[in-house]
Amino acid sequence: MEQARSRALDAGVSPRERARFAVRRTVNLVMAGLVGLAALIGVAVMLFILGYVLVQGWQALSPTFFSQSAQPLDFDAKGQPIAGSGGGVLMSILGSLLILGLAALISIPLGLLAGMYLSEYGHGKFAFLVRYVADVMTGIPSIVTGVFVWSLVVITTGHFSAWAGALALSIIMVPIITRTVEEILRLVPNALREASYALGVPQWRTIVKVVLPSAASGVITGIVLAVARAGGETAPLLLTVLGNEAINWNPSQPTDALPLRIYDYATQPYAVRIEQAWGASFILIMVILVFSLLTRIATKGKKVG
Amino acid sequence: MAANNLDMKIAPIEGIDRISRSRSLVGGDRTFFGLTIFASLLLIATLLALIVLLVVGSWPNIQYSGFNFTTSANWNPNITQNHPHEEFGILPYIFGTVVTSTIALIFAVPLAIGAALFIAEYAPRWLATPVSFMVELLAAIPSIIYGFWGLAVLVPIMYNVDLKTGKVSGVDAFLHDVIGKVPVLGSLFSTPGNGRSLLTAGLILAIMVLPTIMSVSREIILTVPSLQKEGMLALGATKWETIRKAVLPYAGSGIIGAAVLGLGRALGETMAVTLVIGNSSTAITPNLLSSGYTMSSSIAQKFTEAGSDPLYVGAIVEIALVLLIMTAIINGLARLLVIFSTSSALRGTRA
Amino acid sequence: MDNTQIKEAPQDASAEGYNTPVATGGKSMEIRNLKAYYGSYLAISDVNMEIQPNKVTALIGPSGCGKSTLIRCLNRMHEVTPGAPRVEGEVLLDGQNIYAPSADPVKVRRLIGMVFQKPNPFPTMSISENVLAGIKLNSGRLNHAQAAEIVEQSLHRAALWDEVKDKLGKSGASLSGGQQQRLCIARTIAVNPEVILMDEPCSALDPIATLKIEELIEELKAQYTIIIVTHNMQQASRASDFTAFMLAQDGPGHLVEFGPTQQIFTRPTQKRTEDYITGRFG
């Protein structure tokens, strides 16, 4: 039946054209295959990297890994480090929290304010400039930001500190938060602003109490993603907080951070340290993944306003 | 107009007037507006400070090294018998940056366009969303983890020694054996090293820029008006012919923009590259299997050595400055291409 | 000196200012030589009207005649939207020019409330929070009893109380379109305005909901002056005491005829008014 129909459609088509059609059809199929292969490679690489880190990292986790700071390795009689020695990464987790907390303290208010400026007041040339600057800043390599803060703070004060790291991360976070907040507030329907103005509410209260709460989930998502991105940054921290084997709560002292600890341990010759680096990678990637997934679920299918 | 009420002066109040301005209302609006302007100004000031400080910080070295900084291959920060003067030449670092980024694009661009086409044109919705999400998840993985994974997984794939027989295997050896003797092309794989090489760094970078190029390309492909595609299909074109003749020409400059955007990211990438590029040879060689430096990895490696030597500090800061200028140019170009492409696509829908 | 000003304004953010909506009665409005420009383009030219207190005045006319622009100029709402028109002329509320340099547009809007085409309750607030929004957003402090009383009174006046009294904590968005619009009216009433502007308040509603709003308008005019824009001539003839007919043919929007509704609909003095209300164009 199928054949009969195609024969009927083919009636009057020369063999040469039929051959050309076969070529075209083959090219079409091959390209479809290649396109699918490209997508498959992308997904496979992601799963490979993620799976590898999670499997390797899972094995390194233990209660002491979370509850202890770095300890010197213990060696056995043959001079090999004993598995399970070397303490944990508590100082890195707390250090990351300290640095990120300080950075969030600086960058969330600034990013929110600048984002509100762009969406609520920004119609003129100055707004164009602000938007342009924010976009340029998101394109600056993080190592350049690191060098900037290094020469501004570390070289001038003479020592590495959590403050310097927080400053560097803030410079990365503020433009991201600014632009996300702007885009999300723009989605809030004007009708809500008008409803508020018509009740005799001043513009600033309208922005803070009507516009911002209506877009809360989107704004929070944007902020969380910016914090998550900053949490994985290594290069700027390398140049600013240096690292510290002990827990440090003093923002003007060198501090540890998870990515720095991974960098340090990954390049050490001891298998125990490498395993700890995987453990630290596991924590870092899980935190980032959980945040990415949660915010994705939280915003899925939800329209702002 | 909205801001006008903020700019107006508080007029003197005459008599008892129910609608006149009282400080409590106008003041709030004005203060808040001032705060948002302040934050915006701070953003601009930060960028200015960054540029100014990088220039000021590198000034000692700009005066000392001049143009030699970017044209010389000699990096000798310590005075020894052989080197009576400090020398700062970063040509090998620039070379390493350009080579690794180019390798990254060569691998990432076709993959990214393929994946973008798959998501935008081929896959059904139930498949497109998760595929797109998973590829974009690559962008969420921190750079240090790419580097660590590259060091632990990719480097042994590139170069592996059997401890008993001493036999070297791996991709590097394979490339050397197969292509190494071909004229011209062979020079790219002339001497295998230890697996930490420009090529490995380029491959890691390819994975890292893949999501950027993919998602921007996908957005651009989605802006191609369906009328164009339907027109081609109605003429009896196959799916691929439609993509080649209607989609890709339309999205062309935008996809190039996406690639350039990826290039911008690759240029500045630090940690992943630092871990797999070897950081040892400063030779400028076509051999991709040799180790090397990029500008950013050299900063990460050398900033602790600089100490209080203002010239050395200046040299480090100047590397950052040169890197900033390069990425600024590249990102500006990318933005122009993407804007041009989306606006021409929009013009198409209106026509 | 400022303090006396604040006390004079019962709508101000002090707690004493907010009581149950005891309407002070509608106030008159007068529009004098009002012009609105978009850039150099004149959208409305020389409108002059005297709006009677405690009456319903309808603005009718074909779309594009400037009636929506005009009504937004009556409480300076137009100023808060991007691309706002520039306004010349005077609008007097009970003898005071709301465009005087000393006038505060925010206070103007507390005295002259507005209800919009599409019901726009605040989606993040419950029904009772919506009613209290005008007070809460200005951080007026209310105790429970006060708040409950304002909510009940306002919803009663908006003829919504019986339908929502059991679900005051639910989101305003859970109501039907007509209920949402009455909620918006309740919200407007809660801040004790003197004039309520309505910009095609029924255009998004079904006929039954429309009828309810019209009945409500009839009741509200005892306490408020109401100005309503409508494209529905039956509505204007049913619900209003005065009707203004606007037109933008061959030039900017302008007032063609203004008078008692009955007269406009039965014996208009202008040919163009007659053409419009008999459906010959528009």
Side-chain angles (χ1 to χ4, degrees):
Chain A
M1 174 90 183
E2 191 59 32
Q3 249 178 346
R5 189 181 296 153
S6 72
R7 204 173 298 141
L9 280 172
D10 275 3
V13 175
S14 71
R16 215 176 125 194
E17 274 180 61
R18 204 170 296 163
R20 249 197 78 205
F21 182 69
V23 171
R24 286 173 58 199
R25 207 166 49 177
T26 317
V27 169
N28 189 38
L29 279 176
V30 168
M31 292 318 294
L34 286 178
V35 162
L37 185 67
L40 188 68
I41 291 176
V43 172
V45 166
M46 197 282 294
L47 291 177
F48 183 20
I49 295 177
L50 205 60
Y52 195 89
V53 174
L54 293 186
V55 168
Q56 293 284 334
W58 179 251
Q59 295 163 357
L61 299 184
S62 67
T64 52
F65 192 68
F66 291 95
S67 64
Q68 288 187 359
S69 290
Q71 308 285 336
L73 290 175
D74 297 327
F75 292 90
D76 62 16
K78 287 182 210 153
Q80 292 297 312
I82 297 165
S85 71
V89 292
L90 181 63
M91 74 299 179
S92 320
I93 298 173
L94 297 180
S96 273
L97 286 179
L98 174 67
I99 298 165
L100 278 177
L102 293 175
L105 224 56
I106 301 171
S107 57
I108 293 175
L110 286 177
L112 273 177
L113 283 170
M116 288 190 280
Y117 171 75
L118 288 181
S119 87
E120 305 299 314
Y121 302 99
H123 310 296
K125 281 183 186 149
F126 180 69
F128 179 83
L129 179 69
V130 174
R131 211 167 278 135
Y132 185 77
V133 164
D135 285 347
V136 166
M137 285 177 78
T138 49
I140 295 177
S142 61
I143 183 103
V144 173
T145 309
V147 170
F148 166 61
V149 177
W150 175 66
S151 68
L152 178 72
V153 179
V154 178
I155 297 283
T156 28
T157 65
H159 58 91
F160 296 88
S161 66
W163 276 124
L167 182 61
L169 293 187
S170 298
I171 296 174
I172 294 168
M173 286 159 71
V174 171
I176 303 177
I177 297 178
T178 299
R179 292 292 271 139
T180 333
V181 167
E182 182 202 356
E183 310 235 315
I184 284 164
L185 294 191
R186 275 180 187 281
L187 295 179
V188 174
N190 238 348
L192 291 185
R193 294 184 181 89
E194 291 189 339
S196 175
Y197 294 140
L199 293 171
V201 179
Q203 191 172 14
W204 77 276
R205 280 187 189 278
T206 301
I207 297 170
V208 174
K209 295 199 170 177
V210 175
V211 179
L212 211 53
S214 310
S217 74
V219 168
I220 291 169
T221 302
I223 290 173
V224 167
L225 288 181
V227 175
R229 193 192 141 185
E233 283 290 353
T234 317
L237 294 187
L238 190 66
L239 285 142
T240 51
V241 303
L242 191 66
N244 189 337
E245 299 227 319
I247 294 170
N248 169 51
W249 287 115
N250 182 351
S252 40
Q253 289 299 316
T255 309
D256 216 52
L258 273 174
L260 278 185
R261 192 48 50 188
I262 298 171
Y263 178 57
D264 186 20
Y265 283 177
T267 47
Q268 290 203 10
Y270 308 112
V272 176
R273 289 298 191 208
I274 304 264
E275 191 177 274
Q276 289 187 316
W278 286 120
S281 304
F282 182 94
I283 300 172
L284 188 60
I285 217 165
M286 279 311 278
V287 170
I288 290 174
L289 275 190
V290 166
F291 275 130
S292 304
L293 285 173
L294 278 186
T295 51
R296 183 128 182 146
I297 293 164
T299 52
K300 194 173 183 180
K302 245 188 224 168
K303 280 211 181 107
V304 180
Chain B
M1 202 66 182
N4 253 5
N5 50 11
L6 301 162
D7 299 333
M8 275 187 203
K9 291 199 184 77
I10 299 175
I13 299 160
E14 294 147 345
I16 291 166
D17 183 346
R18 295 175 307 144
I19 59 175
S20 67
R21 291 155 187 276
S22 72
R23 206 164 289 158
S24 65
L25 293 181
V26 181
D29 257 349
R30 195 176 280 179
T31 311
F32 186 75
F33 181 66
L35 280 175
T36 65
I37 284 275
F38 169 75
S40 307
L41 281 172
L42 206 58
L43 199 67
I44 295 173
T46 308
L47 181 64
L48 284 180
L50 189 139
I51 295 168
V52 169
L53 214 83
L54 289 188
V55 173
V56 171
S58 40
W59 197 249
N61 185 52
I62 291 175
Q63 282 182 316
Y64 179 77
S65 302
F67 282 111
N68 279 344
F69 187 66
T70 49
T71 55
S72 155
N74 297 320
W75 178 274
N76 296 301
N78 302 314
I79 298 169
T80 61
Q81 232 165 5
N82 294 342
H83 304 288
H85 305 288
E86 288 175 276
E87 286 179 287
F88 300 102
I90 61 164
L91 192 60
Y93 310 155
I94 298 177
F95 172 79
T97 300
V98 171
V99 169
T100 51
S101 304
T102 311
I103 296 171
L105 285 194
I106 289 172
F107 285 96
V109 168
L111 275 180
I113 296 176
L117 282 174
F118 179 78
I119 291 161
E121 297 287 336
Y122 282 89
R125 226 186 121 81
W126 62 266
L127 188 60
T129 315
V131 167
S132 163
F133 174 65
M134 286 206 265
V135 176
E136 277 172 9
L137 213 52
L138 281 172
I141 299 175
S143 148
I144 182 71
I145 290 184
Y146 278 106
F148 189 20
W149 179 84
L151 191 63
V153 178
L154 200 55
V155 169
I157 293 176
M158 305 305 281
Y159 170 83
N160 192 23
V161 188
D162 191 316
L163 286 176
K164 281 177 203 145
T165 60
K167 192 176 178 307
V168 174
S169 59
V171 176
D172 283 7
F174 174 80
L175 288 171
H176 173 68
D177 293 345
V178 176
I179 313 178
K181 289 168 189 76
V182 178
V184 186
L185 203 59
S187 62
L188 296 178
F189 310 106
S190 54
T191 330
N194 62 358
R196 300 182 197 185
S197 64
L198 297 170
L199 179 63
T200 313
L203 287 177
I204 282 284
L205 283 178
I207 303 173
M208 297 183 71
V209 300
L210 180 67
T212 310
I213 307 180
M214 192 281 291
S215 51
V216 178
S217 304
R218 184 200 54 202
E219 291 309 309
I220 295 203
I221 289 168
L222 285 173
T223 63
V224 176
S226 56
L227 266 179
Q228 302 273 329
K229 290 185 268 177
E230 283 162 10
M232 283 299 291
L233 288 169
L235 287 174
T238 62
K239 180 113 191 167
W240 171 247
E241 286 162 347
T242 307
I243 287 169
R244 229 194 56 184
K245 301 235 172 76
V247 176
L248 291 184
Y250 228 97
S253 63
I255 292 177
I256 295 172
V260 179
L261 214 57
L263 178 64
R265 214 191 141 190
L267 288 179
E269 188 42 59
T270 311
M271 299 321 290
V273 171
T274 303
L275 284 168
V276 299
I277 201 169
N279 298 310
S280 59
S281 162
T282 54
I284 296 178
T285 156
N287 179 24
L288 300 182
L289 306 181
S290 115
S291 73
Y293 278 102
T294 64
M295 294 161 75
S296 49
S297 82
S298 71
I299 296 175
Q301 290 290 314
K302 297 178 191 301
F303 79 95
T304 43
E305 295 172 10
S308 54
D309 176 358
L311 222 47
Y312 201 163
V313 170
I316 299 277
V317 176
E318 197 177 346
I319 301 177
L321 180 64
V322 174
L323 188 57
L324 178 69
I325 294 170
M326 280 171 73
T327 46
I329 293 171
I330 293 291
N331 285 338
L333 186 66
R335 190 191 315 253
L336 278 181
L337 284 165
V338 171
I339 290 173
F340 175 75
S341 163
T342 42
S343 67
S344 71
L346 286 179
R347 243 178 278 130
T349 26
R350 262 182 245 127
Chain C
M1 178 172 171
D2 271 358
N3 282 346
T4 59
Q5 299 305 317
I6 292 169
K7 273 184 195 144
E8 279 308 310
Q11 285 74 19
D12 216 296
S14 56
E16 311 91 73
Y18 290 107
N19 286 314
T20 41
V22 190
T24 43
K27 291 281 159 61
S28 68
M29 285 188 83
E30 191 181 344
I31 304 168
R32 286 187 190 160
N33 300 323
L34 189 102
K35 294 192 187 98
Y37 297 87
Y38 287 100
S40 61
Y41 167 73
L42 183 63
I44 299 178
S45 90
D46 277 316
V47 172
N48 284 285
M49 280 167 81
E50 275 188 43
I51 301 199
Q52 301 298 318
N54 296 96
K55 298 286 181 206
V56 179
T57 303
L59 295 179
I60 62 167
S63 54
C65 71
K67 55 191 191 299
S68 278
T69 305
L70 176 63
I71 200 171
R72 282 168 170 263
C73 294
L74 298 187
N75 70 344
R76 299 180 65 169
M77 265 311 281
H78 68 284
E79 289 174 8
V80 289
T81 33
R86 182 165 50 86
V87 168
E88 283 174 13
E90 293 183 341
V91 174
L92 308 185
L93 170 67
D94 198 22
Q96 285 175 358
N97 182 11
I98 66 168
Y99 283 98
S102 65
D104 183 340
V106 173
K107 284 188 169 180
V108 165
R109 288 182 214 122
R110 287 188 195 170
L111 297 174
I112 310 176
M114 189 160 194
V115 176
F116 297 85
Q117 228 173 45
K118 269 180 71 180
N120 53 359
F122 298 112
T124 50
M125 298 182 191
S126 71
I127 291 172
S128 54
E129 283 169 342
N130 258 288
V131 176
L132 297 172
I135 300 162
K136 287 277 178 65
L137 289 175
N138 282 308
S139 48
R141 288 194 189 83
L142 297 167
N143 62 34
H144 264 295
Q146 280 176 314
E149 202 179 342
I150 292 177
V151 169
E152 183 172 347
Q153 286 286 334
S154 306
L155 287 171
H156 260 306
R157 283 209 186 155
L160 190 60
W161 174 252
D162 292 333
E163 292 161 61
V164 300
K165 63 182 176 202
D166 300 323
K167 48 178 179 178
L168 292 173
K170 284 203 172 164
S171 162
S174 67
L175 301 174
S176 74
Q179 289 172 325
Q180 285 188 14
Q181 194 61 299
R182 277 178 282 147
L183 177 59
C184 292
I185 292 174
R187 180 174 72 184
T188 308
I189 292 171
V191 290
N192 271 335
E194 296 171 353
V195 179
I196 301 178
L197 308 175
M198 298 187 173
D199 185 3
E200 303 205 25
C202 304
S203 66
L205 306 180
D206 62 65
I208 293 171
T210 301
L211 193 66
K212 279 200 175 154
I213 302 269
E214 284 175 13
E215 287 168 4
L216 176 58
I217 290 171
E218 184 63 29
E219 284 168 28
L220 288 176
K221 75 176 181 191
Q223 284 129 1
Y224 310 97
T225 302
I226 293 173
I227 304 174
I228 176 170
V229 164
T230 175
H231 59 262
N232 178 337
M233 277 174 290
Q234 285 76 25
Q235 184 167 64
S237 68
R238 278 194 304 262
S240 73
D241 304 304
F242 293 88
T243 297
F245 172 54
M246 287 181 73
L247 202 55
Q249 234 176 8
D250 313 320
H254 58 281
L255 189 63
V256 175
E257 195 169 351
F258 175 46
T261 299
Q262 220 204 334
Q263 181 217 311
I264 296 275
F265 277 88
T266 51
R267 21 184 186 88
T269 58
Q270 301 280 324
K271 176 82 169 61
R272 289 178 297 174
T273 313
E274 193 182 339
D275 286 349
Y276 181 71
I277 58 178
T278 52
R280 247 168 267 168
F281 74 91

